[in-house]
Amino acid sequence: MRWIRRLLRRRPKLTPPRPDTTPGQQAADKALSRAQRARREVESHRPAVSEVAARLARERQRNHFAEIFRDALEGGHH
């Protein structure tokens, strides 16, 4: 029993409470908020960007086939 009392008496002192947020943490929180807002904005434009990319891919493919066809008519080799 004596060793238990000794352990209880030797408890380390509690450290004083730290402030909830430091200036560095506040800056990091603001940066995170800005990044999250920017990501939401970019993601809101994703459907329009995908639509334009698909249209450009179709145009590129159509131009490629037209070039092959034109080359075949002119007697060249592609």
Side-chain angles (χ1 to χ4, degrees), residues 8 13 17-19 29 34-35 37 47-48 54 57 61 67 69 76-77:
L8 291 175
K13 294 181 181 179
R18 299 175 85 185
D29 289 342
R34 286 192 307 271
R37 266 194 315 273
Q61 187 176 20
E67 181 182 321
F69 188 70
H77 298 295

Side-chain angles (χ1 to χ4, degrees), residues 30-43:
K30 289 178 183 177
L32 177 62
S33 295
R34 286 192 307 271
Q36 288 171 334
R37 266 194 315 273
R39 181 181 180 139
R40 283 192 297 271
E41 182 180 347
V42 166
E43 287 177 350

Side-chain angles (χ1 to χ4, degrees), residues 16-31:
R18 299 175 85 185
D20 288 342
T21 56
T22 62
Q25 181 64 45
Q26 291 171 354
D29 289 342
K30 289 178 183 177

Side-chain angles (χ1 to χ4, degrees), residues 7-8 24 33 51-52 54-55 58 69 78:
L7 284 176
L8 291 175
S33 295
E51 182 181 324
V52 169
R55 186 180 44 163
R58 286 190 304 271
F69 188 70
H78 187 73

Side-chain angles (χ1 to χ4, degrees), residues 61-78:
Q61 187 176 20
R62 189 178 323 150
N63 288 341
H64 176 70
F65 287 133
E67 181 182 321
I68 291 173
F69 188 70
R70 185 173 32 255
D71 194 37
L73 288 177
E74 293 173 356
H77 298 295
H78 187 73

Side-chain angles (χ1 to χ4, degrees), residues 1-9:
M1 286 303 269
R2 191 179 288 174
W3 64 274
I4 294 176
R5 284 189 207 125
R6 227 177 308 160
L7 284 176
L8 291 175
R9 270 186 269 149

